[in-house]
Amino acid sequence: MPNREARNAVDLDDLYRDVILDHYRQPRNRGALESASIAAEGFNPSCGDEIQLSILLEDETVSALRFGGSGCSISQSSASMLTEALAGRSLADARELSGHVQDMLTDDGFDLDQVDLGDLEALSGVARFPVRIKCGLLAWKVLDQALARAAGEEPREYDDIPTRITSN
Amino acid sequence: MTTAALDIAAIRADFPILSREVRGRPLVYLDNAATTQKPRQVIEALTHYYSNTNANIHRGLHTLAEEATAAYEATRSKTAEFIGAAHPQEIVFTRNTTESLNLLAYTLGARLRPDDEIILSALEHHSNLVPWQLLAQRSGAKLRFIELTEDGEFDLDQARSLFNPRTRIVSVAHMSNVLGAIAPVADLVEFARAVDATVILDAAQSAPHMPVDVGALGVDFAAFSAHKMLGPTGVGVLWGKRELLADLDPFLGGGEMISVVNREESTWAALPHKFEAGTPNIADVIAFSAALDYLSAVGMQTVRDHDYALTAYAMERLSTIEGMEIYGPPGPERRGAVVAFNYADIHAHDIATILDSGGVAVRAGHHCAQPLMRVLQVPATARASFYLYNRESEIDALVDGLREAGSRFGLSV
């Protein structure tokens, strides 16, 4: 059994991976797209984290994304990584990826080896900090809302993370 | 100032939870403004009640009911004595401070007319804001707000200017749960008396941490919670001047609060039972008695002195960290044992997570005071809050944890 202090250090390193801290300090694609096809926002009422996403869709493809908002390193880096990971993906592909990331954060049985999530794998450690999972999920819930609308579906309501479409 | 007046080791030995570990480190519990830990005397009072006395009160004619009623009413008397109330009938047990304040908003509020005014402050906890917002919506009354100075204290000149003949109620936090600032109660009472307004004190943070004498303060009502002062959760206190409480209509209807019930109408029980509908939280009220005994034995001035010394030490240590912003009054003189802060660009939630990994429990977020966060222009703060069992070494642990956070986020520490 590893000594307790060492185990703790590993725990925090799991959460604050270099990739996450890098995206927090130097967020990618921060701002808003004036030409956005769709924009959505969400917030976490229990802690005040906010994310806005604006998305440009061209021929069923996510061609550009920007994010805005404020909050902790997990919520903001998750959004920053989202914008990098999704650019250039088809709508269907983007929604599938979002499902994988959310499963990774919430499903104990999720197998990291089954899907290639690239840098997004850095978020896997968040699952071990139950009170921080919502921080990691926020941007993805906002994305779901936006992409559901883009696909002509009725967006889902999340009781604990209110999201809404702000323009489309 | 030293903390020699308190035998901290002996006090800590009374709190079983303080010997547990969190993530492999000794628990450093610095979230006392949210709730305090319980001494074994309170825990034992609770189990003793359920093991020996459990019965419903005020009705039964058997021995257990008689004993339970006596213990419940003895807590009422003890609570009255603890805050300098003129009579035990002035003490109403509720679920928490929030319910006490809602009781007042409903009962006092029934008399308000459109354009009557209610004065609150910019730093109120949601529990002393939202009930008045609901009342304003029902009655058409207007909310007015006392603004804060740069130091996070009430701006007295601006406060004075708010009082006018339409002012019916002024309700403020005696001690801020974020800034620690202690309200200038005497001034507010003076302003209120001049216009015949009712003064309500949200004493949730002050009653646990300093001597509170409602008679000397000169207010009309005060509300606080047992769980923030070593007692169990689920017990709130509403104190009101007897003649004012007697004049109010009931809040909740049901058993216990009636005198004669007919099909179409009823008459009300005498104070304080008029405001205690249904079976109350008997066990927790009775256990609260042990908490009051504990605090009385230590002495509330001693608690205040200990808080003062810890707050001074914490502010001094924290201010040595570059990039640390501490909110509220600059020194411990006019503040309670609450230190809210932000550290450079590290979000308060990240600070709380990193501190927790070292066993240090603090609160992070808006502290149920979102309008105050907007005044401070921050989305959230971290908050360390102390009580009689905390020691300077625990503040050192806090500072060590903050340095760890700084180094993780690439700050020079």
Side-chain angles (χ1 to χ4, degrees):
Chain A
M1 187 177 151
N3 77 54
R4 284 167 158 171
E5 201 151 322
R7 197 189 61 203
N8 271 307
V10 168
D11 277 354
L12 267 191
D13 289 343
D14 262 1
L15 183 64
Y16 295 113
R17 303 249 176 102
D18 289 345
V19 176
I20 289 180
L21 291 170
D22 179 54
H23 276 268
Y24 181 55
R25 284 195 219 108
Q26 289 156 17
R28 323 292 201 267
N29 303 310
R30 217 176 201 319
L33 289 172
E34 279 189 23
S35 57
S37 321
I38 194 156
E41 64 179 17
F43 78 105
N44 182 344
S46 65
C47 66
D49 288 352
E50 294 176 10
I51 291 291
Q52 298 98 34
L53 279 182
S54 56
I55 302 170
L56 178 63
L57 291 167
E58 292 173 316
D59 302 330
E60 297 284 301
T61 298
V62 177
S63 57
L65 305 92
R66 294 274 188 284
F67 86 98
S70 64
C72 67
S73 63
I74 306 303
S75 68
Q76 303 301 300
S77 63
S78 182
S80 174
M81 284 191 271
L82 176 155
T83 62
E84 274 202 326
L86 259 60
R89 288 185 190 252
S90 72
L91 199 51
D93 197 14
R95 297 184 79 182
E96 190 185 346
L97 179 69
S98 177
H100 287 319
V101 172
Q102 294 183 52
D103 286 348
M104 174 175 74
L105 287 170
T106 56
D107 181 358
D108 288 342
F110 182 80
D111 183 357
L112 272 174
D113 296 332
Q114 293 298 308
V115 244
D116 179 13
L117 294 176
D119 277 0
L120 291 168
E121 269 193 39
L123 289 168
S124 63
V126 177
R128 294 165 67 172
F129 289 78
V131 297
R132 305 304 296 277
I133 290 172
K134 277 164 83 175
C135 312
L137 285 177
L138 176 58
W140 301 91
K141 295 293 187 194
V142 176
L143 177 76
D144 279 359
Q145 179 87 312
L147 296 188
R149 177 64 66 92
E153 296 167 13
E154 200 55 41
R156 267 184 60 192
E157 294 283 333
Y158 302 106
D159 287 344
D160 50 349
I161 303 180
T163 56
R164 66 188 189 101
I165 301 292
T166 49
S167 79
N168 72 322
Chain B
M1 188 178 287
T2 68
T3 57
L6 273 183
D7 184 350
I8 304 292
I11 286 177
R12 291 182 69 83
D14 286 331
F15 292 76
I17 207 169
L18 296 182
S19 58
R20 75 158 277 184
E21 292 190 341
V22 168
R23 295 183 183 262
R25 305 282 189 87
L27 167 66
V28 174
Y29 186 77
L30 303 180
D31 194 18
N32 294 287
T35 196
T36 61
Q37 299 304 342
K38 320 304 174 197
R40 71 178 76 254
Q41 290 85 338
V42 169
I43 299 166
E44 281 165 11
L46 204 50
T47 54
H48 182 271
Y49 168 77
Y50 280 125
S51 306
N52 295 279
T53 317
N54 182 47
N56 211 331
I57 55 171
H58 295 141
R59 290 177 285 243
L61 296 173
H62 53 77
T63 302
L64 294 188
E66 211 174 278
E67 288 177 7
T69 303
Y72 183 89
E73 291 303 324
T75 307
R76 194 190 306 280
S77 301
K78 203 173 280 178
T79 307
E81 200 178 316
F82 189 82
I83 59 164
H87 197 280
Q89 282 187 325
E90 297 186 332
I91 301 294
V92 175
F93 288 119
T94 61
R95 278 188 306 148
N96 44 39
T97 305
T98 299
E99 185 178 308
S100 298
L101 292 168
N102 273 277
L103 188 161
L104 291 174
Y106 272 88
T107 54
L108 284 171
R111 300 161 178 204
L112 260 54
R113 294 157 182 253
D115 299 323
D116 279 349
E117 295 183 1
I118 301 163
I119 295 178
L120 309 172
S121 87
L123 57 65
E124 297 309 315
H125 189 285
H126 297 161
S127 61
N128 191 35
L129 171 57
V130 179
W132 305 112
Q133 290 175 340
L134 291 170
L135 169 59
Q137 283 164 16
R138 284 195 303 273
S139 65
K142 305 278 188 299
L143 302 182
R144 296 282 178 261
F145 291 90
I146 299 172
E147 302 297 344
L148 307 180
T149 65
E150 288 289 304
D151 285 342
E153 297 182 280
F154 287 7
D155 179 337
L156 267 185
D157 288 333
Q158 185 265 345
R160 183 185 289 110
S161 73
L162 293 175
F163 286 80
N164 69 68
R166 290 186 304 276
T167 307
R168 305 305 332 134
I169 294 168
V170 52
S171 185
V172 296
H174 193 189
M175 183 189 290
S176 163
N177 69 311
V178 180
L179 304 174
I182 297 169
V185 178
D187 294 298
L188 297 177
V189 167
E190 182 193 323
F191 303 158
R193 292 294 166 251
V195 296
D196 204 19
T198 301
V199 183
I200 301 166
L201 215 49
D202 169 0
Q205 295 296 336
S206 59
H209 289 276
M210 57 197 258
V212 168
D213 183 322
V214 290
L217 285 165
V219 299
D220 298 305
F221 296 95
F224 54 99
S225 294
H227 74 92
K228 291 187 197 292
M229 48 199 300
L230 310 182
T233 53
V235 177
V237 176
L238 169 66
W239 165 81
K241 286 179 178 163
R242 185 151 49 159
E243 65 276 17
L244 298 179
L245 281 175
D247 197 39
L248 293 176
D249 284 330
F251 173 43
L252 301 174
E256 297 251 12
M257 52 76 69
I258 42 75
S259 176
V260 178
V261 177
N262 297 306
R263 281 195 171 187
E264 304 298 337
E265 83 292 305
S266 302
T267 56
W268 315 134
L271 283 180
H273 308 291
K274 182 171 83 173
F275 293 109
E276 292 183 5
T279 299
N281 188 349
I282 305 166
D284 291 304
V285 165
I286 289 171
F288 178 42
S289 184
L292 293 170
D293 287 343
Y294 198 97
L295 289 172
S296 297
V298 170
M300 289 309 294
Q301 188 56 48
T302 307
V303 171
R304 169 71 183 146
D305 292 345
H306 179 69
D307 278 356
Y308 183 104
L310 284 178
T311 306
Y313 184 69
M315 293 177 78
E316 180 197 319
R317 292 285 334 256
L318 290 178
S319 60
T320 63
I321 300 174
E322 194 183 331
M324 188 66 59
E325 172 132 25
I326 299 172
Y327 303 99
E333 298 80 12
R334 292 199 302 273
R335 68 188 290 158
V338 175
V339 181
F341 59 91
N342 270 308
Y343 180 16
D345 64 345
I346 311 176
H347 193 277
H349 291 125
D350 291 314
I351 289 190
T353 295
I354 293 169
L355 289 174
D356 181 61
S357 76
V360 179
V362 299
R363 175 85 187 265
H366 51 58
H367 315 294
C368 298
Q370 289 180 16
L372 174 58
M373 295 296 112
R374 281 175 213 118
V375 171
L376 299 176
Q377 298 185 306
V378 294
T381 80
R383 178 188 71 186
S385 52
F386 317 115
Y387 211 18
L388 72 174
Y389 39 67
N390 289 123
R391 320 177 264 202
E392 287 188 350
S393 61
E394 293 179 297
I395 291 164
D396 296 338
L398 167 69
V399 170
D400 291 346
L402 290 170
R403 292 197 190 282
E404 154 88 21
S407 100
R408 247 172 217 286
F409 278 75
L411 304 174
S412 55
V413 296

